[in-house]
Amino acid sequence: MTAGDRQIRRATNIQFKRQVRPEVQMTAQINNRHIFRDLFAAEFLRIYLPTSEFCPQTPLTWLQLVFNVPTEGTALDCAMAAVALSVVGRAANDAALSVESSRKYGQALWALQRALWDERLRFQDETLAACTALVLYELLECTEDNLEGWVTHAQGVARLVEARGPSSFDSPLAHMIFMSFRNTAMIQALQGRKASMFTRPEWQTEPWKIHSKGPDQQLFDIGIELSAILARADKSKSIQESNAIALEKVALLKDCEDLAKRLDTWFRQFNEDIPPPHYWPEFSNVESPIDVREGRKIFPVSFRFSNIYIAKVLIDYWGISIVLYSTSIILYRSLTADNNRTGPEHPADERRAQAKAILPQHISVPKPGITQRPEMIKSLADNIAQSMEYCLQKDVGTLGPQWALFALRIALQTYKYFPDTNELLWLQAIHDKICDEKGVKFSRIIAASNWEARSSSL
């Protein structure tokens, strides 16, 4: 047994002694490496996953499958050890486990590089799982105190997924990882305003030949299509001819309208497949320093969901809706001189008058629908904020707030364009709570990052 294993065993014994009846004695079998690692994996899953009360299905994540794969001595073994040590170490407040977690992370990097160089190992599911585990590790630890580690590993997974091809995700583990990565890929595509490879038809059909595509994955399809619209909007900046710029913006606005209709269709189908109510209001019990400072609850009502999967789907739906509707509003304002509008200023507003002058007279600009008005967009951000108490409960584990980070970041950006800063400060405090209480350091990093500057490109 290595020194690292002895440190892990010491900490996990603290956890498990509380769960064993006094008359049951640890036998010599606990020294067996496999039994010990199984116990440690069980402790990691207990902390990381929601309890059965919050779970509608099994498995909920690829992590519930990966420990059934023989991994000893592989890149996956080191990567999962790093992740598990990080989560258990944080829960036990054990610095020794955190140090060992960092050491295992370093070993995983070397082992994974060797696996990627080896043609026999490169396209194995275990190698894909190891890459994905390192993305998760960066989400938890943020090794460079910025987003670079997470972005780099996510890009590495994207290259490996593309190299494997769309027909190589039939096994249960590979398909669960693939579905998880589509969520990551959508977030990166929207954040970077770049079209994803998942917009190509083969990537939307081939991986689903023997698997059903659930409502969450259908929603990701819409988010991925939205990233392509944002990429086109950025590309339009290089157009030199004035009329051509206006025509391209009108075309982009029309594409936003079509995508909004598709999103509405998705939501109606979601309600048919899983009848409401999906959530209901409750008085909020979450503690926030902003509430204390103001002497009132910023959000006196929170939402309780039927399960964590429903919460994830609806929170993502509200987040994607904000990005889509905001894009429509920005495009519309850049093509009109509507000076009587209400709502927040946006970096794109300064170009409205110039855009109006170059719009050909025979071109009409469709006005965004009622759901795409600033006050409606703010209400979607409020929905996301009111969902955070549910995601922060102890029994939803680390996975709950991790799943909410995408939409939470969008809500935070939305509040920056409204005059009442209390909601903004309240959400920033939630980001800190996810970092400090749930051990997801990525949360504080993204709260401080300046992603919204890129939206001015419209």
Side-chain angles (χ1 to χ4, degrees):
M1 179 178 292
T2 66
D5 286 339
R6 285 193 293 271
Q7 289 177 331
I8 300 170
R9 182 179 178 184
R10 175 175 55 81
T12 48
N13 277 345
I14 296 173
Q15 299 289 321
F16 284 102
K17 281 180 181 178
R18 290 197 294 264
Q19 303 177 34
V20 179
R21 296 192 307 274
E23 65 272 16
V24 177
Q25 299 296 321
M26 291 290 189
T27 68
Q29 287 183 326
I30 197 64
N31 293 323
N32 182 283
R33 184 182 183 88
H34 298 291
I35 293 178
F36 164 70
R37 291 197 178 275
D38 285 347
L39 289 172
F40 194 75
E43 179 67 1
F44 159 70
L45 292 175
R46 183 190 68 81
I47 298 167
Y48 183 82
L49 294 176
T51 61
S52 58
E53 175 190 354
F54 294 86
C55 294
Q57 59 189 28
T58 301
L60 197 61
T61 167
W62 64 273
L63 292 166
Q64 292 167 280
L65 302 178
V66 74
F67 289 107
N68 296 325
V69 177
T71 64
E72 188 168 357
T74 66
L76 179 56
D77 183 35
C78 295
M80 286 310 306
V83 170
L85 284 161
S86 172
V87 171
V88 177
R90 189 272 310 167
N93 196 26
D94 192 309
L97 290 186
S98 297
V99 171
E100 183 65 12
S101 172
S102 180
R103 190 179 73 85
K104 285 292 185 182
Y105 175 70
Q107 291 177 352
L109 291 174
W110 283 106
L112 179 58
Q113 187 59 71
R114 289 194 299 270
L116 292 171
W117 284 335
D118 191 330
E119 293 183 358
R120 296 176 300 105
L121 302 177
R122 184 180 306 147
F123 296 134
Q124 289 185 358
D125 291 352
E126 292 82 356
T127 303
L128 177 64
C131 289
T132 308
L134 294 185
V135 176
L136 175 56
Y137 185 84
E138 283 291 341
L139 195 79
L140 297 169
E141 292 292 340
C142 284
T143 55
E144 300 296 329
D145 291 328
N146 56 43
L147 304 177
E148 293 304 315
W150 179 82
V151 170
T152 299
H153 284 311
Q155 290 173 341
V157 175
R159 288 192 293 270
L160 182 57
V161 166
E162 186 171 22
R164 284 173 60 122
S167 300
S168 62
F169 301 95
D170 290 343
S171 73
L173 176 61
H175 193 72
M176 288 291 293
I177 292 174
F178 176 76
M179 290 194 295
S180 174
F181 180 69
R182 268 170 49 90
N183 189 10
T184 302
M186 180 194 71
I187 294 170
Q188 276 207 305
L190 290 172
Q191 171 194 333
R193 301 171 67 87
K194 294 181 179 179
S196 167
M197 68 178 180
F198 292 132
T199 59
R200 301 200 294 265
E202 63 271 22
W203 284 102
Q204 297 196 20
T205 56
E206 288 290 329
W208 313 101
K209 284 190 172 180
I210 65 171
H211 299 277
S212 61
K213 183 181 283 191
D216 56 333
Q217 296 297 316
Q218 296 170 27
L219 181 62
F220 296 159
D221 285 341
I222 296 173
I224 288 167
E225 290 292 337
L226 177 56
S227 71
I229 292 176
L230 299 179
R232 282 176 51 205
D234 284 356
K235 189 176 180 180
S236 70
K237 292 189 298 181
S238 63
I239 300 175
Q240 299 299 318
E241 205 273 316
S242 298
N243 284 358
I245 295 175
L247 291 172
E248 175 63 9
K249 287 188 175 183
V250 170
L252 286 165
L253 185 56
K254 176 63 167 59
D255 289 344
C256 285
E257 281 190 320
D258 292 342
L259 200 59
K261 292 176 182 176
R262 185 175 162 191
L263 188 60
D264 290 342
T265 300
W266 171 89
F267 189 62
R268 286 194 299 270
Q269 187 62 50
F270 175 70
N271 284 322
E272 290 179 12
D273 294 341
I274 308 175
H278 300 129
Y279 64 96
W280 49 93
E282 293 182 346
F283 287 115
S284 174
N285 293 312
V286 70
E287 295 181 359
S288 169
I290 310 305
D291 294 340
V292 174
R293 189 194 71 182
E294 294 297 312
R296 64 181 178 89
K297 285 279 189 182
I298 304 302
F299 294 102
V301 172
S302 65
F303 294 157
R304 177 106 183 160
F305 295 85
S306 51
N307 58 62
I308 190 64
Y309 175 77
I310 295 295
K312 159 73 171 167
V313 172
L314 287 178
I315 291 170
D316 282 348
Y317 164 66
W318 294 326
I320 291 171
S321 296
I322 289 174
V323 178
L324 175 57
Y325 300 158
S326 298
T327 302
S328 295
I329 290 176
I330 295 166
L331 285 166
Y332 177 75
R333 289 179 175 175
S334 71
L335 289 166
T336 64
D338 180 11
N339 291 312
N340 296 320
R341 71 192 185 282
T342 58
E345 294 294 320
H346 190 278
D349 286 349
E350 63 189 23
R351 278 174 267 193
R352 288 182 301 107
Q354 179 185 359
K356 175 66 175 178
I358 64 175
L359 184 66
Q361 292 184 355
H362 67 283
I363 298 295
S364 62
V365 180
K367 192 170 184 177
I370 188 171
T371 58
Q372 299 175 31
R373 295 176 182 173
E375 59 271 19
M376 294 299 293
I377 290 174
K378 183 178 183 298
S379 73
L380 293 171
D382 291 343
N383 286 351
I384 294 170
Q386 290 172 277
S387 305
M388 289 305 105
E389 183 168 346
Y390 178 86
C391 296
L392 283 168
Q393 294 177 91
K394 180 180 179 181
D395 287 345
V396 301
T398 307
L399 184 63
Q402 177 191 319
W403 272 358
L405 283 177
F406 162 66
L408 181 61
R409 187 68 179 89
I410 292 173
L412 187 70
Q413 292 302 120
T414 301
Y415 286 137
K416 289 187 176 181
Y417 297 114
F418 288 85
D420 186 353
T421 60
N422 284 327
E423 291 110 334
L424 175 64
L425 295 174
W426 190 90
L427 276 192
Q428 287 175 331
I430 291 295
H431 274 284
D432 290 340
K433 187 181 287 284
I434 292 173
C435 176
D436 297 335
E437 296 182 9
K438 294 292 187 175
V440 183
K441 296 179 182 177
F442 190 81
S443 179
R444 181 171 286 139
I445 298 296
I446 62 170
S449 65
N450 186 30
W451 290 359
E452 79 279 9
R454 304 206 51 151
S455 63
S456 64
S457 58
L458 291 176

